[in-house]
Amino acid sequence: MKAIQFHEAGGPEVLRYDEVPVPEVGPGEVLVRVHAAGVNPPDWYLREGMKVMPAEMRPALEFPLIPGTDMSGVVQEVAPDVLGFAVGDEVFGMLRFPGFDGRTYAEYVAAPASDLAHKPAGIDHVRAAGAPMAVLTAWQYLVDLGHDVPSPFTGQVHRPVPITPGMTVLVNGAAGGVGHFAVQLAKWKGAHVVAVASGRHEQFLRKLGADEFIDYTRTRATDVVSGVDLVIDTVGGPDSSRFLAVLKRGGTMLPVFFAQYDSEETASLGITVSNIQVRSNGPQLAEIGRLFDEGKLQVGVDSTYPLPESGSAHTRAAQGHLQGKIVLTVVS
């Protein structure tokens, strides 16, 4: 079969379209013919050699590596101990995350059945492949964590804040993968949603349910918003603390990407800061899949690239300002 591999860490140019063996199915697994694979930040973090992590925390990588965690496809083979899936089933999932063995940038993948759900009938393979990591991140932050594993960043177990009608939720970086799902889930729960993104995303986000839109290139959110119950910051970085000013006392800050907050400052403001490491969860995806089928969730697709052009997909990702997800097409 064909797959994308890299034999050393580096830029998008290290991604190679290679011939590799079809994986064997182990206990608890199914073999999936991949139709599409989602592109996510951990894919390029891995390709770069995990430089995003402090040197002392970086894992030892054994090359060559096949990147990717998200995929949608059709079951080709089922291990004898697997129940609930059969040959011919359309499935989607985020495989073996956190970890580096998803291997979804390939024509076939051996997938843990516990990480899979039946693909929603109402969306195609491209959209299904674009969903898992981003939607599970938003779901585990906002709806149901689904496990009791402490966050590696804080050492604490995250507790989702119940979103009730009338609450105000602000999403920074609202047009991206996690952001556009956070907007929709907060709206589904009855919140008043404030979306922060660049101006070209306004119509996209209003169609997804945003009640207010702030073009951050023209207006500072802190100048026009206050009394927010919950902030979901998908951007992170050194300026993240500016959003503390929009929260009311007793509010919650949820940083999705790396961001540092002064514990004394947040305590003085009565603000809780919490984050997670998203984890694979097939049953959660099955529950989310029903929302896709009911039309309550949509997947935004920024762009698609054929599997051999994975390097171009990573180059697009590095440009930022995505509207939804980048997806690799494997079966046309």
Side-chain angles (χ1 to χ4, degrees):
M1 72 170 187
K2 292 292 188 181
I4 296 295
Q5 291 192 127
F6 57 100
H7 297 254
E8 60 180 345
E13 71 280 355
V14 303
L15 297 175
R16 290 171 35 176
Y17 190 54
D18 289 342
E19 185 73 31
V20 301
V22 175
E24 296 183 358
V25 172
E29 295 181 339
V30 303
L31 182 69
V32 179
R33 174 69 163 106
V34 179
H35 283 232
V39 176
N40 293 292
D43 304 351
W44 59 83
Y45 297 159
L46 181 63
R47 189 206 72 225
E48 294 170 345
M50 300 305 294
K51 292 188 300 182
V52 70
M53 297 178 67
E56 66 274 11
M57 295 178 62
R58 290 175 198 164
L61 302 179
E62 295 185 10
F63 299 104
L65 285 166
I66 298 174
T69 60
D70 286 5
M71 63 90 228
S72 181
V74 178
V75 174
Q76 304 293 300
E77 182 184 345
V78 180
D81 62 337
V82 169
L83 301 175
F85 295 103
V87 172
D89 284 353
E90 294 186 321
V91 294
F92 75 134
M94 177 179 74
L95 308 186
R96 301 184 179 91
F97 197 82
F100 309 107
D101 298 317
R103 297 173 164 262
T104 61
Y105 286 24
E107 292 182 323
Y108 293 90
V109 66
S114 59
D115 294 351
L116 298 175
H118 290 94
K119 181 184 77 65
I123 59 176
D124 59 17
H125 285 291
V126 166
R127 284 171 172 74
M133 179 172 283
V135 77
L136 280 173
T137 300
W139 187 267
Q140 291 175 14
Y141 263 111
L142 299 177
V143 181
D144 176 24
L145 182 61
H147 62 80
D148 58 2
V149 180
S151 164
F153 311 110
T154 65
Q156 303 296 316
V157 177
H158 172 71
R159 302 297 181 198
V161 176
I163 297 176
T164 55
M167 285 179 62
T168 299
V169 174
L170 182 145
V171 183
N172 184 41
V178 176
H180 86 292
F181 285 124
V183 167
Q184 295 176 80
L185 289 175
K187 190 64 181 176
W188 172 58
K189 286 291 189 178
H192 178 88
V193 180
V194 181
V196 180
S198 62
R200 75 182 189 91
H201 301 303
E202 179 172 4
Q203 291 308 310
F204 170 69
L205 289 165
R206 289 196 181 277
K207 287 179 181 178
L208 296 182
D211 298 289
E212 295 182 50
F213 176 82
I214 298 172
D215 179 354
Y216 72 88
T217 68
R218 295 175 176 270
T219 306
R220 289 173 57 90
T222 52
D223 292 339
V224 295
V225 180
S226 62
V228 171
D229 295 280
L230 180 67
V231 169
I232 305 141
D233 181 13
T234 75
V235 178
D239 296 329
S240 296
S241 60
R242 71 189 186 278
F243 285 100
L244 295 175
V246 309
L247 283 161
K248 71 179 185 182
R249 187 166 191 83
T252 302
M253 167 66 73
L254 302 179
V256 176
F257 287 112
F258 304 106
Q260 291 186 332
Y261 295 88
D262 183 272
S263 58
E264 291 185 2
E265 180 185 15
T266 55
S268 69
L269 295 170
I271 290 171
T272 299
V273 179
S274 185
N275 61 23
I276 66 165
Q277 171 70 77
V278 65
R279 305 184 79 85
S280 299
N281 193 310
Q284 285 184 337
L285 275 181
E287 189 174 354
I288 293 165
R290 288 189 281 273
L291 297 180
F292 284 121
D293 274 336
E294 294 168 2
K296 294 175 181 175
L297 280 181
Q298 301 176 43
V299 185
V301 176
D302 177 89
S303 50
T304 62
Y305 296 84
L307 183 65
E309 297 178 19
S310 296
S312 296
H314 279 222
T315 298
R316 168 68 190 104
Q319 295 167 352
H321 302 285
L322 303 182
Q323 186 167 284
K325 294 298 302 296
I326 300 171
V327 179
L328 302 172
T329 56
V330 184
V331 174
S332 59

